[in-house]
Amino acid sequence: MKSWLVVILPALFLSCSNLLNADDNRVFLQSILIEGNRVTRESHVRSFLTAREGQYYDLDGIIDEINKSRKNLEKTGLFTSIFFNDQLNDDGSLILTIVLREKNYLHFGLAGYLGYEDDEFYSNTSLYMDYKNIFGNSSSLFVEIPFYRDYGLILRYDGLAHPYVYGLGISYRHDYLYDYDAGRIQSRLGYRFTDEVVLGADVHISREDVQSAAALQGHVSPTTSLVFLPYSEFGHVERYTKKVKNWYFLTLSPYAGYNFDSSTFFYGVDGLIDINRDLLLQIVYTLGIHASYQGGTVPFDYLIISDIRGAYHDSRAGGDYLLSFVNSLDFPWPTNNKFHVVGFFDFGFIDAHDQGFIAGGGLGFHWYTKYQDPLVFEVAYGKGFMVNLNKRF
Amino acid sequence: MKKLFLITVIFILLFILSLSSLNGMGQRSNRKSIELSFWHSMSIYQGDALEGLVHEYNESQNRVHIDPVFQGLYGEMKTKLMNAVRTGQTPDIAQVAIEYLDIFIQDGKVEPITDLISDEDRGDILSQFWYSVSRNREVYAYPFNLSVQVLYYNKDAFKRSGLDPDDPPKTWDEVIEYGKILTRDFDNNGTIDQWGVLVSLEGVFGFTPLIRQVGGEFLNEDATAALFNSNAGVKVMELVQNMAHEYEIMPSNWNLFEGTTAFLEGKIVMGPITCAGIKFAEENLPWELGIAPLPYIENKSVLLGGAGLVMLSKSSSRRKAAFDFITWLTQKENSIRWHKETGYLPLRKSAIESFELQGFHKLYPNYRIPVEQLPYSRPPDFTPHLSQIDQIVRYAIEDIMINKKNPKIILDLAAEKTNQILSQREE
């Protein structure tokens, strides 16, 4: 019996002393408080936190959780400042207060190009409003009213219930040039697997009625279609800190659709990658490569269109494939880095009836306001002279 | 054409709307009861960071509006402020380099603020920072942007030369050894394409910490005589002279500006530079930046430089408002933000110990190095004649470095001139 105790007692002593030593280096996270969130819901903020109330952490552990939580919050794009204030109680327990400063969330303005060619002005201008974080949960409501060349209404709601993303949209557009009407209801459901990977799918139900014979070109009209578009996203559109020198964003979206009126199918795949490199002194070069391929009986509203800035407005005529390269070089003004000069040159190949190769280029002037959203003024030359004004108020 | 007209009208209306909303914001701020002018010396990204904080202060309350005005770098600010004092057109708050503070103190142009400082702030802000803005046991400025020199190095160049980029040199002897490996003539045309190091001893500020590293001092304790021509000073100058002429690991005739430009271009691999440039370097260089403690000779010592905020208003209500702004600007949260957005040192113990800052340093360890050097930091030896002495020392160092003159002879001559200036002051 005694020999048994001789083994057990030292073992107990050792385990207790280990526990005591561990507690010396650990901190008990009593509570997490959120401050400064006038619009954003507290529950939404908490969904991005990885530190948990009521748990013990060692110093490295709590600092890692703070860094992870901050990164998650930074990537929401909702805040201009995130500060973790720590306060130790008399009993050594920790109260962590997250002090947030929110951006302004309502943007509206005028976007698009005004062009002049062959003694005629043209435009694809629209008025838009983008209300981000509308319900305090990163959701956004986007309203766009195109006018001049076409008219209509585009409404889209994008929500985030971390890690799920979802969306619902409805749009109607009448195009004067091709004399067609198109309406669409679309929904989205996605899941963010990691910081850099989102997988999901869109479903569209669309209806179109194309009157112009030139535009029709063998397509069946009117037609109602159901389209399934699984998508995957990798990387980030923007760097969340200027300390990141290289970043990219890749989307891949194969799709398939069924036209009810003609009992025909169509299919395609769309891929886009933006590769950004900070060369020196925050001069950023961006190469965007857009590749698209489609086949079957494609409704007019789903045809591949050119995405070359500065190219003639009618280059939107479709084809079976597209490969385009978008190049831009963003120079911050040396004496005022809120002002950027952006030169761009884009070119692409599109399988269309009369346009195998298209190119455009121009110069943009971007002024970053205190809300961190730029006022954009662009002059582009392709087959016409164009001015783009895009202001977020 | 009717549609074009419509678009034009919409454009004009939208811009009028945006401009009127901007004007409206300005008008709101103008309704504040006290307007204070704030002259500062922060340019480019440091200016943006400072003006961002000022904007936030202005938005956070309705009593005081701060109007920040960039008045040039420290030297230009000193001249403008001296003129302003002469004409009685002083700003309410001015950012004055700690080495120029004596100029404004000696004639009573700046009054002490010792009594305004709370015990909490006195204990929380590091003692060497208070020391840098105090004279004769009175505090004349509030510590704000303070920095130490650290060793900047090009990690990519280390890798290319087979050196471990995470093992920078710790002593100046090691700098010489690394420099021999890093100094390269890539195209074998007889011209060095990459220099190992540049130690640009820019007058008092580059020379002082190295003298202290061998146990010497720049001036004596009551700043009445030069000590930089002691054996310690000679030893330092011989070391730097040898780097250029014996070991040929650094150019002998480049000033700090040339050196910094060459460093940005990757033509210099290592060099001591102020920590206030870390933010700029990290975000603007095309290669990976390494930061290491300033190498030492025998003892660790770094020079504390930078500026404090002085209050020049005579009106008590304006002084009270100015002090309210200054204490807001230097509180824990803003001290951390200032450190993150510029590289300047965090002022407060509470900031240094905070999880917020420790988390930041874990992500960006370059910023931690200057903070770790604080125990070895000291400001320069203060005298109202520091600018003149600085010029004398600069010329002396140029003579030693470019013309390969004997350090002892040249430093003795410089010390003689310095002593003359210091004795005039005594008279």
Side-chain angles (χ1 to χ4, degrees), chain A residues 81-317:
Chain A
S81 165
I82 302 159
F83 186 86
F84 285 75
N85 198 12
D86 56 280
Q87 187 190 335
L88 286 175
N89 285 332
D90 294 339
D91 61 0
S93 60
L94 172 68
I95 297 174
L96 207 53
T97 306
I98 304 170
V99 185
L100 303 165
R101 286 193 184 82
E102 296 177 313
K103 288 183 179 175
N104 75 318
Y105 299 125
L106 178 62
H107 308 145
F108 63 94
L110 185 67
Y113 281 94
L114 294 170
Y116 181 75
E117 186 180 300
D118 297 335
D119 297 328
E120 189 185 348
F121 281 97
Y122 62 89
S123 163
N124 57 359
T125 313
S126 61
L127 281 169
Y128 78 94
M129 183 200 77
D130 192 3
Y131 197 145
K132 293 189 184 297
N133 204 17
I134 185 168
F135 298 123
N137 60 355
S138 290
S139 57
S140 69
L141 178 67
F142 181 81
V143 182
E144 184 179 351
I145 304 169
F147 63 93
Y148 196 80
R149 213 198 86 162
D150 51 4
Y151 68 84
L153 178 67
I154 297 162
L155 277 170
R156 199 177 69 238
Y157 175 78
D158 291 310
L160 177 69
H162 188 66
Y164 293 96
V165 292
Y166 60 92
L168 194 63
I170 183 166
S171 64
Y172 166 75
R173 196 155 54 90
H174 175 82
D175 188 298
Y176 289 120
L177 186 69
Y178 295 108
D179 192 14
Y180 81 94
D181 296 278
R184 184 185 295 178
I185 297 171
Q186 62 187 69
S187 63
R188 158 167 290 202
L189 182 63
Y191 185 86
R192 180 171 287 280
F193 282 88
T194 70
D195 181 34
E196 298 202 328
V197 179
V198 180
L199 299 180
D202 290 353
V203 176
H204 296 178
I205 299 170
S206 67
R207 171 82 179 166
E208 67 178 33
D209 185 358
V210 184
Q211 300 298 325
S212 163
L216 201 55
Q217 290 172 354
H219 299 283
V220 177
S221 180
T223 187
T224 302
S225 310
L226 176 67
V227 193
F228 179 63
L229 307 94
Y231 72 92
S232 49
E233 293 176 355
F234 304 90
H236 300 286
V237 177
E238 291 178 1
R239 54 178 170 174
Y240 64 95
T241 164
K242 287 173 185 163
K243 291 180 173 67
V244 173
K245 300 290 180 189
N246 300 295
W247 71 104
Y248 75 97
F249 182 67
L250 168 68
T251 60
L252 276 173
S253 179
Y255 54 89
Y258 178 71
N259 303 314
F260 290 98
D261 300 84
S262 57
S263 301
T264 53
F265 289 93
F266 66 97
Y267 53 88
V269 61
D270 198 60
L272 177 73
I273 184 165
D274 275 335
I275 302 162
N276 306 277
R277 183 170 172 78
D278 186 337
L279 302 173
L280 170 72
L281 302 169
Q282 293 177 35
I283 298 166
V284 176
Y285 170 67
T286 301
L287 169 65
I289 303 171
H290 183 190
S292 202
Y293 172 77
Q294 61 184 200
T297 309
V298 185
F300 190 76
D301 209 32
Y302 285 87
L303 283 176
I304 291 172
I305 59 169
S306 156
D307 53 1
I308 306 298
R309 286 171 295 182
Y312 183 47
H313 62 300
D314 278 347
S315 60
R316 53 182 293 124

Side-chain angles (χ1 to χ4, degrees), chain B residues 186-222:
Chain B
F186 293 115
D187 50 11
N188 294 316
N189 67 350
T191 305
I192 300 295
D193 301 304
Q194 176 181 284
W195 291 98
V197 64
L198 179 67
V199 186
S200 183
L201 293 185
E202 292 278 308
V204 172
F205 303 97
F207 197 19
T208 300
L210 297 192
I211 294 177
R212 289 173 180 168
Q213 287 188 356
V214 287
E217 290 292 343
F218 190 80
L219 299 178
N220 66 356
E221 200 171 340
D222 50 0

Side-chain angles (χ1 to χ4, degrees), chain A residues 29-65:
Chain A
L29 179 54
Q30 185 184 311
S31 58
I32 300 174
L33 308 174
I34 317 286
E35 284 182 7
N37 53 322
R38 287 181 296 181
V39 175
T40 314
R41 288 181 196 173
E42 186 173 319
S43 59
H44 188 58
V45 175
R46 286 185 185 277
S47 73
F48 294 100
L49 305 181
T50 57
R52 295 280 172 261
E53 290 173 340
Q55 287 200 10
Y56 282 94
Y57 292 95
D58 60 22
L59 183 63
D60 272 351
I62 190 71
I63 285 172
D64 284 344
E65 299 307 330

Side-chain angles (χ1 to χ4, degrees), chain B residues 52 73 104 126 138 163 174 196 217 302 403:
Chain B
L73 302 180
F104 298 96
L126 292 162
E138 293 283 3
L163 293 168
E174 286 181 15
E217 290 292 343
V302 290
N403 304 323

Side-chain angles (χ1 to χ4, degrees), chain B residues 398-415:
Chain B
E398 276 179 26
D399 219 9
I400 292 166
M401 294 304 295
I402 299 171
N403 304 323
K404 298 189 204 176
K405 294 277 181 68
N406 181 298
K408 177 63 180 163
I409 295 168
I410 300 300
L411 289 179
D412 280 346
L413 285 170

Side-chain angles (χ1 to χ4, degrees), chain A residues 84-85 245 281 389 393, chain B residues 11 18 56 283-284 332 356:
Chain A
F84 285 75
N85 198 12
K245 300 290 180 189
L281 302 169
L389 283 165
F393 292 95
Chain B
F11 262 114
S18 66
E56 209 167 278
E283 295 187 353
N284 292 281
K332 176 184 162 187
E356 171 77 19

